Amino acid sequence: QLVESGGGLVQPGGSLRLSCAASGFSFNTYWMSWVRQAPGKGLEWVANIKQDGRDKRYVDSVKGRFAISRDSASNSLYLQMNNLRAEDTAVYYCARPHCTSTSCSFWFDPWGQGTQVTVSS
Amino acid sequence: DIQMTQSPSSLSASVGDRVTITCRASQDIKSWVVWYQQKPEKAPKSLIYAASTLQTGVPSRFSGSGSGTDFTLTISSLQPEDFATYYCQQYNSYPLTFGQGTRLEIK
């Protein structure tokens, strides 16, 4: 199970930190991801982080502004979002890539319920 | 970046109909495509991965096919609970990209 929190209303240029609490699986053995969906729009992958936190990937539109991180002690995933723009307004989903004992494929199951981020003055 | 183009963008159909949704990739992605179903205000749910492998628990009326650049999702006999939006996603390379979605509505 994945449960996101931390969304809300923030002004342009502001910051927000999203959290995702993972349970029911061995968090340390999975890559983890954030995916977003703007209002009435499609899905957009945002970021991935490897099991040990040393490999991180981002969509170009958030590079330099967003930072993905994780904490194995608390089975938590984070997304620090800085310098937010109106176009970052979306529901943000925490999602788990599909991993076996030997490799990971970056399609997602399960997903959290999402947390709404609204960037507006 | 790999562009994923779905067609149609929307579709009206009746219960019992056979429906096919197409996804075209802008370059060869082998079989690295997944299909999701999303209902309003809910998170997406995976249906088919690796182009044609049915996810556990998904009804057998859903099937997928294709490789390279052209992929299809077929629902053999629409049920009331199948009316939703469907997305394809490629996981061949970064950035991971989704199709724009196909909204399946009741006729």
Side-chain angles (χ1 to χ4, degrees), chain A residues 3-84:
Chain A
V3 179
E4 303 93 337
S5 60
L9 174 63
V10 60
Q11 292 187 342
S15 297
L16 212 54
R17 189 194 196 205
L18 305 183
S19 300
C20 171
S23 61
F25 64 96
S26 181
F27 182 73
N28 291 342
T29 64
Y30 285 86
W31 282 73
M32 292 296 297
S33 304
W34 289 99
V35 179
R36 68 184 178 183
Q37 187 168 34
K41 301 297 184 181
L43 300 163
E44 181 182 38
W45 167 76
V46 174
N48 279 359
I49 186 168
K50 196 176 179 180
Q51 292 91 330
D52 60 8
R54 294 181 178 181
D55 191 350
K56 304 174 184 181
R57 308 293 180 101
Y58 300 93
V59 68
D60 281 352
S61 59
V62 309
K63 281 180 183 175
R65 300 188 300 121
F66 289 13
I68 189 172
S69 62
R70 62 193 296 162
D71 177 35
S72 58
S74 61
N75 288 349
S76 295
L77 177 71
Y78 303 102
L79 187 67
Q80 177 67 43
M81 303 185 295
N82 298 328
N83 192 19
L84 281 159

Side-chain angles (χ1 to χ4, degrees), chain B residues 2-3 9 17 28 35 37 44-45 47 58 63-64 70 72 76 79 81 83 86 88 91 94 99 101 107:
Chain B
I2 297 174
Q3 308 301 318
S9 297
D17 283 354
D28 184 354
W35 290 95
Q37 176 194 68
K45 169 190 168 184
L47 301 173
V58 174
S63 64
D70 293 319
T72 58
S76 60
Q79 298 302 300
E81 61 268 30
F83 292 95
Y86 293 85
C88 60
Y91 52 99
Y94 284 112
K107 183 183 287 185

